[in-house]
Amino acid sequence: MRESRLELWGALSLCVVCLLVGIPVLLEQLTGGAPTTGPAWLWWACYLGYLGTLGLAFTRWPLARRHPAPMVSAFGLCAVGTVLLAPRAGWTAILLVVVAAIAAHLVSRRATLLLIAGNSAVVALVATINSGAPLDAALSALIYATLQACAVWAVWSQLRETAATERLAVANTELRAATALLAESSRSAERLRIARELHDLVGHQLTALVLELEVASHRDGQAVTAHVLRARRLTKDLLGDVRTAVGELRGRAVPLRAALAELVADLPRPRVHLAVDEDVEPDEAAAATLIRCTQEVVTNAIRHSEAENLWIRIARTGAGTITLRAHDDGRGAPLVRTGNGLTGLRERVEQLGGAVSFDGRSGFQVEATVPVP
């Protein structure tokens, strides 16, 4: 089961718990009781406002991340109102634990600890209203403070693990890109060395042999002449084969598809959908640029986009260029600020005479065009 599926089930379970908390109040009202200390409509307004804020936080999480203070404030006030207006309703104080857990995701640690202290004071006040015993109030505050602390600690641990996983994924992507470039550089150097050896040694020797046979063909003897002519023809064919092999070694296409598939394999998030057209055959410089561009796109998606999916398509156009198009389903950005990574991506592409553009209005999109021979 993927991590996103687990997060979905966790969010649904939390919503179910918050819904169950309000059932005792509803049942007591239906049986003619008065579970609230104030107007019932006010309690329901706070409770429904709490549920609405919780649903907004889960469905519009990027919005909550951009505006954490209003979200946590509204969430906390609705929860406090729900608890204080129904002090004898049973488990409504559980709502405060959920508030602390959400706050641990959105606000600073200091603000979260202050929120835990305030929530514990609210629990102590409710216990005082119910029993009037200071010991009961202190024990209730301690229990719920511990519950909040455990929830917050679990959230912080999960955030640390997520950050470590992202750093590991970024480092793994960079390592795979470096490995792919190093392997291709080694293969290119080896092909060039073999090509030079073939040309300098075998090629020169065969050329000398052709000259010797050319001289022999002008000497006396019909039988000797026929064999010499046949040998000369075979030697010329062999020399042509050597030159063809040298040309193939020098101009062999880089295995770009395999390198990129290895680069994006086994990423925890986002899920990368890679497509490389069959007719894409870049030279070494273009392949290195495309590998580095893909690495930066993947790294940027891991670190900043909060995306579930990333689509990368590399195709050859009719104008003699290779185009890399990438987009994700993350939060995007109204104004794209190019940091060191995106600036380096632009410089690599422009160094080859290409162009690159960025768009963050719907997810994050990158389009890079690289000319090829």
Side-chain angles (χ1 to χ4, degrees), residues 279-301:
D279 58 348
V280 174
E281 296 181 350
D283 60 0
E284 185 178 357
T289 298
L290 292 170
I291 290 174
R292 285 301 190 188
C293 289
T294 303
Q295 172 199 336
E296 180 57 34
V297 167
V298 172
T299 301
N300 193 68

Side-chain angles (χ1 to χ4, degrees), residues 222-259:
Q222 187 65 30
V224 174
T225 303
H227 286 288
V228 170
L229 289 175
R230 191 160 46 248
R232 184 178 63 181
R233 185 169 59 253
L234 292 174
T235 307
K236 286 183 177 180
D237 292 341
L238 180 58
L239 182 57
D241 292 340
V242 170
R243 287 172 175 169
T244 300
V246 170
E248 290 180 353
L249 285 171
R250 288 182 177 272
R252 185 174 298 173
V254 178
L256 180 65
R257 183 181 293 100

Side-chain angles (χ1 to χ4, degrees), residues 59-363:
T59 58
R60 296 291 185 270
W61 190 251
L63 178 64
R65 292 286 297 271
R66 287 195 294 269
H67 307 285
M71 179 67 69
V72 173
S73 299
F75 202 35
L77 289 175
C78 290
V80 169
T82 302
V83 174
L84 290 179
L85 291 173
R88 293 177 296 276
W91 296 100
T92 54
I94 289 293
L95 303 179
L96 299 175
V97 179
V98 178
V99 171
I102 298 296
H105 277 284
L106 299 176
V107 297
S108 65
R109 295 195 172 190
R110 181 177 181 181
T112 303
L113 294 176
L114 291 175
L115 182 65
I116 291 176
N119 289 344
S120 302
V122 171
V123 172
L125 178 60
V126 169
T128 302
I129 294 174
N130 289 334
S131 65
L135 183 59
D136 289 345
L139 184 59
S140 297
L142 180 60
I143 290 174
Y144 277 95
T146 303
L147 289 176
Q148 292 177 88
C150 291
V152 167
W153 179 259
V155 170
W156 285 345
S157 299
Q158 187 257 336
L159 291 177
R160 284 197 300 270
E161 181 181 356
T162 300
T165 302
E166 290 180 355
R167 289 195 298 269
L168 181 61
V170 169
N172 192 30
T173 301
E174 294 175 349
L175 178 60
R176 287 178 173 178
T179 301
L181 292 173
L182 181 60
E184 180 52 38
S185 178
S186 299
R187 286 192 294 266
S188 177
E190 183 64 15
R191 288 197 301 266
L192 183 59
R193 185 188 68 81
I194 295 173
R196 285 172 176 169
E197 292 292 333
L198 285 174
H199 183 270
D200 294 343
L201 298 178
V202 181
H204 289 172
Q205 291 176 1
L206 290 176
T207 301
L209 180 58
V210 169
L211 292 176
E212 290 292 339
L213 292 174
E214 183 70 26
V215 173
S217 66
H218 294 289
R219 298 199 174 175
D220 295 334
Q222 187 65 30
V224 174
T225 303
H227 286 288
V228 170
L229 289 175
R230 191 160 46 248
R232 184 178 63 181
R233 185 169 59 253
L234 292 174
T235 307
K236 286 183 177 180
D237 292 341
L238 180 58
L239 182 57
D241 292 340
V242 170
R243 287 172 175 169
T244 300
V246 170
E248 290 180 353
L249 285 171
R250 288 182 177 272
R252 185 174 298 173
V254 178
L256 180 65
R257 183 181 293 100
L260 294 182
E262 178 66 22
L263 178 66
V264 302
D266 301 326
L267 288 180
R269 180 183 291 182
R271 181 187 301 170
V272 180
H273 307 273
L274 176 67
V276 182
D277 287 359
E278 294 290 339
D279 58 348
V280 174
E281 296 181 350
D283 60 0
E284 185 178 357
T289 298
L290 292 170
I291 290 174
R292 285 301 190 188
C293 289
T294 303
Q295 172 199 336
E296 180 57 34
V297 167
V298 172
T299 301
N300 193 68
I302 293 172
R303 285 176 171 170
H304 307 299
S305 71
E306 299 180 1
E308 292 291 335
N309 295 279
L310 171 62
W311 293 269
I312 300 175
R313 172 75 182 275
I314 299 178
R316 182 157 188 162
T317 65
T321 60
I322 294 178
T323 301
L324 182 150
R325 293 185 177 91
H327 69 280
D328 59 47
D329 57 0
R331 59 182 180 177
L335 180 62
V336 177
R337 295 182 175 87
T338 55
N340 292 330
L342 294 181
T343 300
L345 188 154
R346 185 190 298 276
E347 290 172 351
R348 287 179 182 276
V349 173
E350 291 179 349
Q351 188 175 14
L352 295 181
V356 63
S357 62
F358 309 110
D359 189 351
R361 289 172 295 181
S362 178

